[in-house]
Amino acid sequence: MASRDTAFVEITPEVLLKAYACGIFPMAESADDPALYWIEPEMRGILPLEGFHVARRLARTVRTTPFTVHVDRDFDAVIDGCAEPKPDRGKTWINARIRRIYRALFEAGACHTVEVYDGEALVGGLYGVSLGRAFFGESMFHRATDASKVALVHLVARLKAGGYRLLDTQFVTAHLKTFGAVEVPKRRYHRMLEEALAGEADFAVLPTERPITGAEALAIIESAH
């Protein structure tokens, strides 16, 4: 289900967080379209934190990769990466209003990034919204093989360590299915969301001033099973 918002109604961070609490999120038709659409899927994608699966090959990559992973370091660079055209997508849904709204959330501490670097070059990452014990994944990107997968592994480690209960992926892709993502009906999703919002989690429970290694991230995930 989707409803169209006009280009003239300003959406504040407070309004956006209330929308997330109701199970609704915004998207744009394209980068050039100033309008936003409020989306509430009948089937919602989630990635169960306790059922998160890391394939053996990927676990080896996470442990041995030369990538360095930081959080909340460069929001603008991450959203730029997420807005880049892809082979299967010539245009992006991230318009100027999306950038402005989520940057305001980032500055307020309610939006976070996970950033993957090869040396000084940003090669992958993701961003999403934190509310209560729920994390709403918005978008991810990669410029190097497995970089977005490494970002997701580090995100899940941080969410598990921080006491989160719900990782909302909005939709399920073939990529996310390999990690255990599933679809749940809207009514069940709302029950899960209500439970996740009844409490507080801590995205910064792991150090943010230094990068967490892949081995540390995997140890957190494995110990939480």
mmCIF file of all heavy atoms in Angstrom, residues 57-109:
data_model
loop_
_atom_site.group_PDB
_atom_site.id
_atom_site.type_symbol
_atom_site.label_atom_id
_atom_site.label_comp_id
_atom_site.label_asym_id
_atom_site.label_seq_id
_atom_site.Cartn_x
_atom_site.Cartn_y
_atom_site.Cartn_z
ATOM 1 N N ARG A 57 31.912 -19.390 3.267
ATOM 2 C CA ARG A 57 32.826 -18.599 2.435
ATOM 3 C C ARG A 57 32.824 -17.143 2.870
ATOM 4 O O ARG A 57 33.884 -16.507 2.954
ATOM 5 C CB ARG A 57 32.432 -18.703 0.964
ATOM 6 C CG ARG A 57 33.431 -18.011 0.026
ATOM 7 C CD ARG A 57 32.866 -17.771 -1.354
ATOM 8 N NE ARG A 57 31.786 -16.791 -1.334
ATOM 9 C CZ ARG A 57 31.990 -15.471 -1.308
ATOM 10 N NH1 ARG A 57 33.213 -14.970 -1.267
ATOM 11 N NH2 ARG A 57 30.958 -14.648 -1.303
ATOM 12 N N LEU A 58 31.637 -16.606 3.153
ATOM 13 C CA LEU A 58 31.554 -15.213 3.578
ATOM 14 C C LEU A 58 32.211 -15.027 4.942
ATOM 15 O O LEU A 58 32.898 -14.019 5.174
ATOM 16 C CB LEU A 58 30.102 -14.749 3.626
ATOM 17 C CG LEU A 58 29.897 -13.307 4.091
ATOM 18 C CD1 LEU A 58 30.628 -12.327 3.176
ATOM 19 C CD2 LEU A 58 28.409 -12.971 4.166
ATOM 20 N N ALA A 59 32.021 -15.987 5.847
ATOM 21 C CA ALA A 59 32.664 -15.882 7.168
ATOM 22 C C ALA A 59 34.183 -15.810 7.013
ATOM 23 O O ALA A 59 34.855 -15.033 7.708
ATOM 24 C CB ALA A 59 32.278 -17.067 8.038
ATOM 25 N N ARG A 60 34.721 -16.598 6.096
ATOM 26 C CA ARG A 60 36.160 -16.558 5.848
ATOM 27 C C ARG A 60 36.572 -15.187 5.311
ATOM 28 O O ARG A 60 37.595 -14.619 5.725
ATOM 29 C CB ARG A 60 36.543 -17.661 4.862
ATOM 30 C CG ARG A 60 38.047 -17.782 4.617
ATOM 31 C CD ARG A 60 38.393 -19.067 3.889
ATOM 32 N NE ARG A 60 37.744 -19.163 2.588
ATOM 33 C CZ ARG A 60 36.754 -20.011 2.295
ATOM 34 N NH1 ARG A 60 36.301 -20.847 3.234
ATOM 35 N NH2 ARG A 60 36.228 -20.049 1.104
ATOM 36 N N THR A 61 35.745 -14.651 4.409
ATOM 37 C CA THR A 61 36.029 -13.318 3.863
ATOM 38 C C THR A 61 35.997 -12.266 4.961
ATOM 39 O O THR A 61 36.873 -11.397 5.039
ATOM 40 C CB THR A 61 35.009 -12.958 2.772
ATOM 41 O OG1 THR A 61 35.126 -13.889 1.689
ATOM 42 C CG2 THR A 61 35.241 -11.549 2.241
ATOM 43 N N VAL A 62 34.980 -12.325 5.816
ATOM 44 C CA VAL A 62 34.839 -11.340 6.894
ATOM 45 C C VAL A 62 36.048 -11.380 7.818
ATOM 46 O O VAL A 62 36.537 -10.338 8.272
ATOM 47 C CB VAL A 62 33.533 -11.593 7.678
ATOM 48 C CG1 VAL A 62 33.474 -10.716 8.930
ATOM 49 C CG2 VAL A 62 32.312 -11.323 6.798
ATOM 50 N N ARG A 63 36.546 -12.583 8.091
ATOM 51 C CA ARG A 63 37.697 -12.722 8.998
ATOM 52 C C ARG A 63 38.999 -12.233 8.375
ATOM 53 O O ARG A 63 39.850 -11.679 9.068
ATOM 54 C CB ARG A 63 37.866 -14.187 9.411
ATOM 55 C CG ARG A 63 36.846 -14.695 10.410
ATOM 56 C CD ARG A 63 37.275 -16.040 10.982
ATOM 57 N NE ARG A 63 36.266 -16.534 11.911
ATOM 58 C CZ ARG A 63 35.289 -17.370 11.578
ATOM 59 N NH1 ARG A 63 35.208 -17.810 10.327
ATOM 60 N NH2 ARG A 63 34.401 -17.763 12.464
ATOM 61 N N THR A 64 39.159 -12.444 7.070
ATOM 62 C CA THR A 64 40.464 -12.217 6.453
ATOM 63 C C THR A 64 40.530 -10.986 5.561
ATOM 64 O O THR A 64 41.616 -10.626 5.108
ATOM 65 C CB THR A 64 40.863 -13.443 5.614
ATOM 66 O OG1 THR A 64 39.910 -13.630 4.545
ATOM 67 C CG2 THR A 64 40.896 -14.694 6.473
ATOM 68 N N THR A 65 39.409 -10.342 5.306
ATOM 69 C CA THR A 65 39.404 -9.209 4.393
ATOM 70 C C THR A 65 40.279 -8.061 4.906
ATOM 71 O O THR A 65 40.367 -7.827 6.116
ATOM 72 C CB THR A 65 37.967 -8.690 4.190
ATOM 73 O OG1 THR A 65 37.999 -7.573 3.282
ATOM 74 C CG2 THR A 65 37.355 -8.226 5.495
ATOM 75 N N PRO A 66 40.908 -7.332 3.989
ATOM 76 C CA PRO A 66 41.655 -6.131 4.399
ATOM 77 C C PRO A 66 40.754 -4.929 4.654
ATOM 78 O O PRO A 66 41.234 -3.863 5.044
ATOM 79 C CB PRO A 66 42.573 -5.879 3.200
ATOM 80 C CG PRO A 66 41.817 -6.423 2.027
ATOM 81 C CD PRO A 66 41.095 -7.627 2.554
ATOM 82 N N PHE A 67 39.447 -5.079 4.428
ATOM 83 C CA PHE A 67 38.521 -3.973 4.653
ATOM 84 C C PHE A 67 38.541 -3.540 6.121
ATOM 85 O O PHE A 67 38.732 -4.354 7.028
ATOM 86 C CB PHE A 67 37.088 -4.371 4.306
ATOM 87 C CG PHE A 67 36.858 -4.698 2.855
ATOM 88 C CD1 PHE A 67 35.827 -5.551 2.487
ATOM 89 C CD2 PHE A 67 37.636 -4.143 1.855
ATOM 90 C CE1 PHE A 67 35.584 -5.852 1.158
ATOM 91 C CE2 PHE A 67 37.413 -4.430 0.522
ATOM 92 C CZ PHE A 67 36.387 -5.301 0.171
ATOM 93 N N THR A 68 38.307 -2.264 6.324
ATOM 94 C CA THR A 68 38.119 -1.694 7.657
ATOM 95 C C THR A 68 36.693 -1.177 7.747
ATOM 96 O O THR A 68 36.202 -0.539 6.809
ATOM 97 C CB THR A 68 39.099 -0.537 7.904
ATOM 98 O OG1 THR A 68 40.433 -1.008 7.712
ATOM 99 C CG2 THR A 68 38.960 0.002 9.321
ATOM 100 N N VAL A 69 36.018 -1.451 8.854
ATOM 101 C CA VAL A 69 34.608 -1.086 8.993
ATOM 102 C C VAL A 69 34.445 -0.039 10.090
ATOM 103 O O VAL A 69 34.854 -0.252 11.239
ATOM 104 C CB VAL A 69 33.741 -2.318 9.309
ATOM 105 C CG1 VAL A 69 32.274 -1.922 9.432
ATOM 106 C CG2 VAL A 69 33.920 -3.379 8.215
ATOM 107 N N HIS A 70 33.841 1.077 9.726
ATOM 108 C CA HIS A 70 33.537 2.153 10.666
ATOM 109 C C HIS A 70 32.024 2.375 10.709
ATOM 110 O O HIS A 70 31.294 1.951 9.800
ATOM 111 C CB HIS A 70 34.215 3.458 10.232
ATOM 112 C CG HIS A 70 35.702 3.446 10.335
ATOM 113 N ND1 HIS A 70 36.370 3.746 11.501
ATOM 114 C CD2 HIS A 70 36.663 3.169 9.412
ATOM 115 C CE1 HIS A 70 37.674 3.657 11.306
ATOM 116 N NE2 HIS A 70 37.886 3.310 10.044
ATOM 117 N N VAL A 71 31.565 3.056 11.735
ATOM 118 C CA VAL A 71 30.156 3.440 11.818
ATOM 119 C C VAL A 71 30.049 4.953 11.978
ATOM 120 O O VAL A 71 30.930 5.587 12.579
ATOM 121 C CB VAL A 71 29.414 2.736 12.983
ATOM 122 C CG1 VAL A 71 29.412 1.232 12.791
ATOM 123 C CG2 VAL A 71 30.000 3.111 14.326
ATOM 124 N N ASP A 72 28.984 5.503 11.390
ATOM 125 C CA ASP A 72 28.614 6.917 11.590
ATOM 126 C C ASP A 72 29.756 7.889 11.290
ATOM 127 O O ASP A 72 29.909 8.911 11.966
ATOM 128 C CB ASP A 72 28.123 7.127 13.030
ATOM 129 C CG ASP A 72 26.833 6.391 13.313
ATOM 130 O OD1 ASP A 72 26.173 5.955 12.346
ATOM 131 O OD2 ASP A 72 26.467 6.246 14.489
ATOM 132 N N ARG A 73 30.524 7.589 10.271
ATOM 133 C CA ARG A 73 31.685 8.414 9.953
ATOM 134 C C ARG A 73 31.389 9.419 8.830
ATOM 135 O O ARG A 73 31.856 10.552 8.875
ATOM 136 C CB ARG A 73 32.843 7.497 9.550
ATOM 137 C CG ARG A 73 34.208 8.157 9.512
ATOM 138 C CD ARG A 73 35.245 7.139 9.062
ATOM 139 N NE ARG A 73 36.601 7.603 9.264
ATOM 140 C CZ ARG A 73 37.673 6.970 8.830
ATOM 141 N NH1 ARG A 73 37.550 5.828 8.170
ATOM 142 N NH2 ARG A 73 38.873 7.453 9.045
ATOM 143 N N ASP A 74 30.642 8.981 7.794
ATOM 144 C CA ASP A 74 30.432 9.826 6.623
ATOM 145 C C ASP A 74 29.080 9.514 5.995
ATOM 146 O O ASP A 74 28.978 8.783 5.006
ATOM 147 C CB ASP A 74 31.556 9.611 5.611
ATOM 148 C CG ASP A 74 31.602 10.712 4.555
ATOM 149 O OD1 ASP A 74 30.583 11.387 4.353
ATOM 150 O OD2 ASP A 74 32.661 10.870 3.918
ATOM 151 N N PHE A 75 28.025 10.080 6.577
ATOM 152 C CA PHE A 75 26.676 9.804 6.110
ATOM 153 C C PHE A 75 26.496 10.185 4.646
ATOM 154 O O PHE A 75 25.915 9.427 3.859
ATOM 155 C CB PHE A 75 25.650 10.559 6.969
ATOM 156 C CG PHE A 75 24.246 10.457 6.431
ATOM 157 C CD1 PHE A 75 23.467 9.352 6.704
ATOM 158 C CD2 PHE A 75 23.718 11.464 5.640
ATOM 159 C CE1 PHE A 75 22.184 9.247 6.186
ATOM 160 C CE2 PHE A 75 22.440 11.367 5.113
ATOM 161 C CZ PHE A 75 21.666 10.252 5.393
ATOM 162 N N ASP A 76 26.980 11.361 4.259
ATOM 163 C CA ASP A 76 26.768 11.837 2.895
ATOM 164 C C ASP A 76 27.399 10.899 1.870
ATOM 165 O O ASP A 76 26.820 10.638 0.811
ATOM 166 C CB ASP A 76 27.327 13.251 2.726
ATOM 167 C CG ASP A 76 26.538 14.273 3.518
ATOM 168 O OD1 ASP A 76 25.304 14.113 3.640
ATOM 169 O OD2 ASP A 76 27.146 15.229 4.029
ATOM 170 N N ALA A 77 28.585 10.378 2.168
ATOM 171 C CA ALA A 77 29.238 9.462 1.240
ATOM 172 C C ALA A 77 28.460 8.152 1.118
ATOM 173 O O ALA A 77 28.375 7.567 0.031
ATOM 174 C CB ALA A 77 30.670 9.184 1.689
ATOM 175 N N VAL A 78 27.884 7.693 2.222
ATOM 176 C CA VAL A 78 27.107 6.453 2.181
ATOM 177 C C VAL A 78 25.839 6.635 1.352
ATOM 178 O O VAL A 78 25.515 5.793 0.502
ATOM 179 C CB VAL A 78 26.763 5.970 3.600
ATOM 180 C CG1 VAL A 78 25.761 4.813 3.554
ATOM 181 C CG2 VAL A 78 28.023 5.534 4.332
ATOM 182 N N ILE A 79 25.121 7.710 1.575
ATOM 183 C CA ILE A 79 23.886 7.890 0.814
ATOM 184 C C ILE A 79 24.193 8.159 -0.662
ATOM 185 O O ILE A 79 23.432 7.764 -1.549
ATOM 186 C CB ILE A 79 22.991 8.986 1.438
ATOM 187 C CG1 ILE A 79 21.540 8.763 1.017
ATOM 188 C CG2 ILE A 79 23.464 10.386 1.099
ATOM 189 C CD1 ILE A 79 20.523 9.533 1.816
ATOM 190 N N ASP A 80 25.335 8.780 -0.947
ATOM 191 C CA ASP A 80 25.768 8.917 -2.339
ATOM 192 C C ASP A 80 25.977 7.539 -2.970
ATOM 193 O O ASP A 80 25.571 7.291 -4.110
ATOM 194 C CB ASP A 80 27.081 9.708 -2.423
ATOM 195 C CG ASP A 80 26.884 11.204 -2.250
ATOM 196 O OD1 ASP A 80 25.723 11.676 -2.337
ATOM 197 O OD2 ASP A 80 27.893 11.905 -2.020
ATOM 198 N N GLY A 81 26.622 6.647 -2.223
ATOM 199 C CA GLY A 81 26.844 5.301 -2.729
ATOM 200 C C GLY A 81 25.545 4.547 -2.955
ATOM 201 O O GLY A 81 25.380 3.853 -3.963
ATOM 202 N N CYS A 82 24.611 4.705 -2.029
ATOM 203 C CA CYS A 82 23.322 4.024 -2.169
ATOM 204 C C CYS A 82 22.511 4.565 -3.350
ATOM 205 O O CYS A 82 21.671 3.853 -3.908
ATOM 206 C CB CYS A 82 22.517 4.170 -0.876
ATOM 207 S SG CYS A 82 23.190 3.249 0.532
ATOM 208 N N ALA A 83 22.767 5.810 -3.725
ATOM 209 C CA ALA A 83 22.020 6.439 -4.824
ATOM 210 C C ALA A 83 22.646 6.183 -6.189
ATOM 211 O O ALA A 83 22.062 6.547 -7.209
ATOM 212 C CB ALA A 83 21.928 7.942 -4.580
ATOM 213 N N GLU A 84 23.820 5.553 -6.233
ATOM 214 C CA GLU A 84 24.475 5.298 -7.514
ATOM 215 C C GLU A 84 23.666 4.322 -8.371
ATOM 216 O O GLU A 84 23.061 3.380 -7.844
ATOM 217 C CB GLU A 84 25.873 4.713 -7.284
ATOM 218 C CG GLU A 84 26.880 5.696 -6.724
ATOM 219 C CD GLU A 84 28.196 5.039 -6.370
ATOM 220 O OE1 GLU A 84 28.263 3.793 -6.361
ATOM 221 O OE2 GLU A 84 29.155 5.782 -6.096
ATOM 222 N N PRO A 85 23.643 4.528 -9.679
ATOM 223 C CA PRO A 85 22.984 3.551 -10.571
ATOM 224 C C PRO A 85 23.636 2.182 -10.440
ATOM 225 O O PRO A 85 24.832 2.065 -10.168
ATOM 226 C CB PRO A 85 23.216 4.142 -11.971
ATOM 227 C CG PRO A 85 23.509 5.579 -11.750
ATOM 228 C CD PRO A 85 24.224 5.661 -10.427
ATOM 229 N N LYS A 86 22.826 1.147 -10.628
ATOM 230 C CA LYS A 86 23.323 -0.225 -10.601
ATOM 231 C C LYS A 86 23.020 -0.883 -11.936
ATOM 232 O O LYS A 86 22.177 -0.392 -12.691
ATOM 233 C CB LYS A 86 22.646 -1.002 -9.457
ATOM 234 C CG LYS A 86 22.914 -0.443 -8.076
ATOM 235 C CD LYS A 86 22.180 -1.254 -7.021
ATOM 236 C CE LYS A 86 22.409 -0.693 -5.621
ATOM 237 N NZ LYS A 86 21.648 -1.439 -4.588
ATOM 238 N N PRO A 87 23.662 -2.003 -12.238
ATOM 239 C CA PRO A 87 23.391 -2.682 -13.506
ATOM 240 C C PRO A 87 21.918 -3.017 -13.710
ATOM 241 O O PRO A 87 21.418 -2.980 -14.831
ATOM 242 C CB PRO A 87 24.247 -3.955 -13.406
ATOM 243 C CG PRO A 87 25.363 -3.577 -12.494
ATOM 244 C CD PRO A 87 24.760 -2.637 -11.492
ATOM 245 N N ASP A 88 21.223 -3.338 -12.615
ATOM 246 C CA ASP A 88 19.812 -3.687 -12.732
ATOM 247 C C ASP A 88 18.888 -2.524 -12.363
ATOM 248 O O ASP A 88 17.677 -2.696 -12.238
ATOM 249 C CB ASP A 88 19.494 -4.887 -11.825
ATOM 250 C CG ASP A 88 19.796 -4.605 -10.357
ATOM 251 O OD1 ASP A 88 20.528 -3.624 -10.078
ATOM 252 O OD2 ASP A 88 19.305 -5.358 -9.498
ATOM 253 N N ARG A 89 19.467 -1.340 -12.164
ATOM 254 C CA ARG A 89 18.652 -0.188 -11.776
ATOM 255 C C ARG A 89 19.326 1.079 -12.300
ATOM 256 O O ARG A 89 20.346 1.516 -11.788
ATOM 257 C CB ARG A 89 18.520 -0.119 -10.250
ATOM 258 C CG ARG A 89 17.564 0.969 -9.762
ATOM 259 C CD ARG A 89 17.754 1.232 -8.285
ATOM 260 N NE ARG A 89 19.040 1.883 -8.018
ATOM 261 C CZ ARG A 89 19.605 1.979 -6.819
ATOM 262 N NH1 ARG A 89 19.012 1.438 -5.777
ATOM 263 N NH2 ARG A 89 20.769 2.592 -6.658
ATOM 264 N N GLY A 90 18.719 1.651 -13.327
ATOM 265 C CA GLY A 90 19.315 2.824 -13.938
ATOM 266 C C GLY A 90 19.077 4.110 -13.180
ATOM 267 O O GLY A 90 19.775 5.098 -13.378
ATOM 268 N N LYS A 91 18.064 4.132 -12.304
ATOM 269 C CA LYS A 91 17.769 5.344 -11.551
ATOM 270 C C LYS A 91 17.563 5.006 -10.081
ATOM 271 O O LYS A 91 17.308 3.862 -9.719
ATOM 272 C CB LYS A 91 16.532 6.045 -12.106
ATOM 273 C CG LYS A 91 15.243 5.222 -12.019
ATOM 274 C CD LYS A 91 14.066 6.009 -12.597
ATOM 275 C CE LYS A 91 12.757 5.207 -12.458
ATOM 276 N NZ LYS A 91 11.603 5.967 -12.978
ATOM 277 N N THR A 92 17.673 6.003 -9.258
ATOM 278 C CA THR A 92 17.558 5.809 -7.819
ATOM 279 C C THR A 92 16.259 6.407 -7.292
ATOM 280 O O THR A 92 15.690 7.324 -7.883
ATOM 281 C CB THR A 92 18.743 6.473 -7.088
ATOM 282 O OG1 THR A 92 18.562 6.328 -5.670
ATOM 283 C CG2 THR A 92 18.823 7.961 -7.396
ATOM 284 N N TRP A 93 15.789 5.862 -6.162
ATOM 285 C CA TRP A 93 14.615 6.423 -5.492
ATOM 286 C C TRP A 93 15.021 7.468 -4.461
ATOM 287 O O TRP A 93 14.165 8.079 -3.827
ATOM 288 C CB TRP A 93 13.812 5.309 -4.810
ATOM 289 C CG TRP A 93 14.618 4.483 -3.854
ATOM 290 C CD1 TRP A 93 15.318 3.357 -4.137
ATOM 291 C CD2 TRP A 93 14.842 4.737 -2.462
ATOM 292 N NE1 TRP A 93 15.962 2.889 -3.011
ATOM 293 C CE2 TRP A 93 15.686 3.706 -1.976
ATOM 294 C CE3 TRP A 93 14.406 5.735 -1.580
ATOM 295 C CZ2 TRP A 93 16.107 3.652 -0.644
ATOM 296 C CZ3 TRP A 93 14.826 5.667 -0.262
ATOM 297 C CH2 TRP A 93 15.655 4.645 0.195
ATOM 298 N N ILE A 94 16.314 7.690 -4.294
ATOM 299 C CA ILE A 94 16.799 8.634 -3.276
ATOM 300 C C ILE A 94 16.840 10.035 -3.882
ATOM 301 O O ILE A 94 17.737 10.356 -4.670
ATOM 302 C CB ILE A 94 18.185 8.212 -2.761
ATOM 303 C CG1 ILE A 94 18.095 6.841 -2.077
ATOM 304 C CG2 ILE A 94 18.740 9.252 -1.794
ATOM 305 C CD1 ILE A 94 19.430 6.270 -1.631
ATOM 306 N N ASN A 95 15.871 10.864 -3.512
ATOM 307 C CA ASN A 95 15.840 12.234 -4.036
ATOM 308 C C ASN A 95 16.377 13.213 -2.988
ATOM 309 O O ASN A 95 16.829 12.821 -1.914
ATOM 310 C CB ASN A 95 14.428 12.616 -4.499
ATOM 311 C CG ASN A 95 13.416 12.667 -3.362
ATOM 312 O OD1 ASN A 95 13.776 12.538 -2.193
ATOM 313 N ND2 ASN A 95 12.156 12.851 -3.703
ATOM 314 N N ALA A 96 16.319 14.502 -3.320
ATOM 315 C CA ALA A 96 16.888 15.516 -2.423
ATOM 316 C C ALA A 96 16.172 15.534 -1.074
ATOM 317 O O ALA A 96 16.801 15.768 -0.035
ATOM 318 C CB ALA A 96 16.813 16.890 -3.083
ATOM 319 N N ARG A 97 14.866 15.297 -1.066
ATOM 320 C CA ARG A 97 14.129 15.309 0.203
ATOM 321 C C ARG A 97 14.544 14.136 1.084
ATOM 322 O O ARG A 97 14.681 14.272 2.304
ATOM 323 C CB ARG A 97 12.623 15.271 -0.058
ATOM 324 C CG ARG A 97 12.081 16.518 -0.730
ATOM 325 C CD ARG A 97 10.593 16.399 -0.944
ATOM 326 N NE ARG A 97 9.842 16.594 0.293
ATOM 327 C CZ ARG A 97 8.573 16.218 0.452
ATOM 328 N NH1 ARG A 97 7.926 15.603 -0.520
ATOM 329 N NH2 ARG A 97 7.950 16.440 1.586
ATOM 330 N N ILE A 98 14.724 12.977 0.474
ATOM 331 C CA ILE A 98 15.194 11.812 1.234
ATOM 332 C C ILE A 98 16.549 12.115 1.863
ATOM 333 O O ILE A 98 16.778 11.865 3.060
ATOM 334 C CB ILE A 98 15.296 10.574 0.323
ATOM 335 C CG1 ILE A 98 13.898 10.097 -0.117
ATOM 336 C CG2 ILE A 98 16.077 9.453 1.008
ATOM 337 C CD1 ILE A 98 13.104 9.391 0.948
ATOM 338 N N ARG A 99 17.448 12.675 1.086
ATOM 339 C CA ARG A 99 18.774 13.006 1.608
ATOM 340 C C ARG A 99 18.665 13.968 2.793
ATOM 341 O O ARG A 99 19.318 13.784 3.823
ATOM 342 C CB ARG A 99 19.621 13.650 0.508
ATOM 343 C CG ARG A 99 20.060 12.697 -0.595
ATOM 344 C CD ARG A 99 20.733 13.474 -1.718
ATOM 345 N NE ARG A 99 21.163 12.619 -2.800
ATOM 346 C CZ ARG A 99 22.376 12.063 -2.900
ATOM 347 N NH1 ARG A 99 23.268 12.306 -1.956
ATOM 348 N NH2 ARG A 99 22.696 11.302 -3.919
ATOM 349 N N ARG A 100 17.842 15.000 2.646
ATOM 350 C CA ARG A 100 17.722 16.024 3.681
ATOM 351 C C ARG A 100 17.098 15.458 4.961
ATOM 352 O O ARG A 100 17.574 15.717 6.073
ATOM 353 C CB ARG A 100 16.880 17.188 3.145
ATOM 354 C CG ARG A 100 16.784 18.362 4.097
ATOM 355 C CD ARG A 100 16.191 19.573 3.409
ATOM 356 N NE ARG A 100 14.845 19.331 2.909
ATOM 357 C CZ ARG A 100 14.519 19.214 1.617
ATOM 358 N NH1 ARG A 100 15.462 19.290 0.683
ATOM 359 N NH2 ARG A 100 13.270 19.004 1.244
ATOM 360 N N ILE A 101 16.057 14.672 4.805
ATOM 361 C CA ILE A 101 15.345 14.144 5.975
ATOM 362 C C ILE A 101 16.233 13.176 6.753
ATOM 363 O O ILE A 101 16.329 13.243 7.989
ATOM 364 C CB ILE A 101 14.042 13.452 5.543
ATOM 365 C CG1 ILE A 101 13.058 14.466 4.955
ATOM 366 C CG2 ILE A 101 13.399 12.736 6.725
ATOM 367 C CD1 ILE A 101 11.907 13.821 4.214
ATOM 368 N N TYR A 102 16.891 12.279 6.040
ATOM 369 C CA TYR A 102 17.694 11.281 6.743
ATOM 370 C C TYR A 102 18.984 11.867 7.295
ATOM 371 O O TYR A 102 19.501 11.397 8.314
ATOM 372 C CB TYR A 102 17.962 10.074 5.834
ATOM 373 C CG TYR A 102 16.728 9.214 5.701
ATOM 374 C CD1 TYR A 102 15.793 9.453 4.700
ATOM 375 C CD2 TYR A 102 16.450 8.194 6.607
ATOM 376 C CE1 TYR A 102 14.640 8.697 4.586
ATOM 377 C CE2 TYR A 102 15.302 7.427 6.510
ATOM 378 C CZ TYR A 102 14.395 7.685 5.496
ATOM 379 O OH TYR A 102 13.248 6.947 5.409
ATOM 380 N N ARG A 103 19.493 12.912 6.648
ATOM 381 C CA ARG A 103 20.646 13.608 7.239
ATOM 382 C C ARG A 103 20.239 14.236 8.561
ATOM 383 O O ARG A 103 21.010 14.201 9.541
ATOM 384 C CB ARG A 103 21.189 14.679 6.286
ATOM 385 C CG ARG A 103 22.161 15.623 7.004
ATOM 386 C CD ARG A 103 23.190 16.232 6.127
ATOM 387 N NE ARG A 103 24.438 15.482 6.051
ATOM 388 C CZ ARG A 103 25.256 15.283 7.077
ATOM 389 N NH1 ARG A 103 24.961 15.728 8.272
ATOM 390 N NH2 ARG A 103 26.387 14.630 6.927
ATOM 391 N N ALA A 104 19.038 14.820 8.631
ATOM 392 C CA ALA A 104 18.561 15.398 9.886
ATOM 393 C C ALA A 104 18.422 14.312 10.956
ATOM 394 O O ALA A 104 18.775 14.528 12.124
ATOM 395 C CB ALA A 104 17.227 16.110 9.665
ATOM 396 N N LEU A 105 17.936 13.135 10.563
ATOM 397 C CA LEU A 105 17.848 12.024 11.508
ATOM 398 C C LEU A 105 19.239 11.590 11.975
ATOM 399 O O LEU A 105 19.449 11.266 13.142
ATOM 400 C CB LEU A 105 17.141 10.830 10.866
ATOM 401 C CG LEU A 105 15.613 10.799 10.871
ATOM 402 C CD1 LEU A 105 15.143 9.461 10.315
ATOM 403 C CD2 LEU A 105 15.043 11.016 12.260
ATOM 404 N N PHE A 106 20.188 11.577 11.051
ATOM 405 C CA PHE A 106 21.562 11.205 11.384
ATOM 406 C C PHE A 106 22.135 12.185 12.405
ATOM 407 O O PHE A 106 22.766 11.783 13.390
ATOM 408 C CB PHE A 106 22.402 11.195 10.103
ATOM 409 C CG PHE A 106 23.852 10.862 10.323
ATOM 410 C CD1 PHE A 106 24.262 9.563 10.579
ATOM 411 C CD2 PHE A 106 24.816 11.856 10.255
ATOM 412 C CE1 PHE A 106 25.605 9.259 10.776
ATOM 413 C CE2 PHE A 106 26.155 11.567 10.454
ATOM 414 C CZ PHE A 106 26.544 10.259 10.714
ATOM 415 N N GLU A 107 21.924 13.458 12.174
ATOM 416 C CA GLU A 107 22.440 14.475 13.096
ATOM 417 C C GLU A 107 21.761 14.380 14.456
ATOM 418 O O GLU A 107 22.355 14.747 15.477
ATOM 419 C CB GLU A 107 22.239 15.861 12.486
ATOM 420 C CG GLU A 107 23.125 16.110 11.262
ATOM 421 C CD GLU A 107 22.800 17.400 10.552
ATOM 422 O OE1 GLU A 107 21.771 18.031 10.886
ATOM 423 O OE2 GLU A 107 23.573 17.782 9.649
ATOM 424 N N ALA A 108 20.529 13.868 14.485
ATOM 425 C CA ALA A 108 19.803 13.699 15.742
ATOM 426 C C ALA A 108 20.158 12.383 16.441
ATOM 427 O O ALA A 108 19.672 12.121 17.550
ATOM 428 C CB ALA A 108 18.304 13.763 15.493
ATOM 429 N N GLY A 109 20.967 11.544 15.792
ATOM 430 C CA GLY A 109 21.375 10.278 16.395
ATOM 431 C C GLY A 109 20.413 9.138 16.187
ATOM 432 O O GLY A 109 20.570 8.074 16.795
#
